Amino acid sequence: MAARRDSRQLIVQAAGREFGRHGFAGARVARIAHSAGVNKQLIFYYFHSKAGLFEAILRSLADTILGSAAAADDEGAPLEHLRAMIARVWEAFTAHADLLRVALLAGREDGSAGPLREALRPVADRIGALVSLGQGLGYVRDDLEPDAVAVQVLATALGYVSLDGVLGERPPPDQGMAIELLLRPLAW
């Protein structure tokens, strides 16, 4: 018996590559359909529009970060959970750097924060919850606003990814050092 294809997931993967290579305006639904091996109408059935597909890709990225976080939440102290969560964000952002650059630009084109803010809201909420938990247990300074910490973490990771190469040739950022620079001011 042949394995059943997950057409929706194949579309999301193909679209991520297409948007990353060509940007939002340059991405073509026909190329996405061809790459995913599906009918173009199936894309519109699942996602309703090119913008809906783009939003689904960003939500999928956030779901990936949160899914791996849920699997690791059974071990360690709050700062270790936070360190692991930041590492997952960093790794996911690095792996999808082209797509995130497109998402940042797409947000500016229509004058709004764009779909990236909405897609990353659950990730920010999870980071804020980890900070709050750490505060309650005495591991994290209680004079910090958990939501502000979450925004700082996401903005720093997005900045590294989106500015890579913009400031000239430089070595890639050391993920461990960046995570420590984000965590150090949080602890007592």
Side-chain angles (χ1 to χ4, degrees):
M1 181 174 176
R4 181 180 161 115
R5 289 176 10 130
D6 183 358
S7 297
R8 193 175 203 287
Q9 188 58 32
L10 290 171
I11 293 167
V12 168
Q13 290 170 350
R17 291 187 301 270
E18 177 74 8
F19 283 116
R21 280 188 203 118
H22 301 286
F24 185 83
R28 298 290 175 255
V29 174
R31 282 194 304 246
I32 294 168
H34 178 75
S35 179
V38 301
N39 185 308
K40 185 172 144 178
Q41 284 71 28
L42 188 61
I43 293 174
F44 290 105
Y45 173 78
Y46 282 136
F47 305 102
H48 308 291
S49 66
K50 186 168 134 178
L53 176 57
F54 189 66
E55 291 167 12
I57 295 165
L58 296 175
R59 281 192 308 272
S60 175
L61 175 62
D63 290 347
T64 299
I65 294 168
L66 292 171
S68 59
D73 276 351
D74 295 335
E75 305 170 6
L79 283 178
E80 291 310 310
H81 287 293
L82 193 54
R83 178 178 280 108
M85 181 66 173
I86 295 169
R88 284 187 292 278
V89 166
W90 211 274
E91 290 161 7
F93 284 10
T94 301
H96 297 88
D98 291 338
L99 178 65
L100 289 168
R101 283 186 204 102
V102 169
L104 287 169
L105 292 174
R108 289 190 219 131
E109 287 173 1
D110 66 2
S112 69
L116 187 58
R117 174 184 285 177
E118 198 59 38
L120 292 178
R121 187 176 314 275
V123 176
D125 290 346
R126 181 67 185 135
I127 293 169
L130 289 171
V131 170
S132 184
L133 175 66
Q135 289 173 324
L137 295 173
Y139 289 94
V140 175
R141 292 176 27 200
D142 55 3
D143 61 336
L144 301 172
E145 178 60 42
D147 292 338
V149 172
V151 168
Q152 184 65 40
V153 166
L154 294 174
T156 301
L158 281 169
Y160 269 109
V161 166
S162 62
L163 289 175
D164 188 32
V166 171
L167 301 176
E169 292 302 316
R170 61 186 169 91
D174 179 319
Q175 176 182 329
M177 179 187 69
I179 291 170
E180 288 308 312
L181 286 172
L182 287 167
L183 285 174
R184 196 172 300 149
L186 302 180
W188 287 106

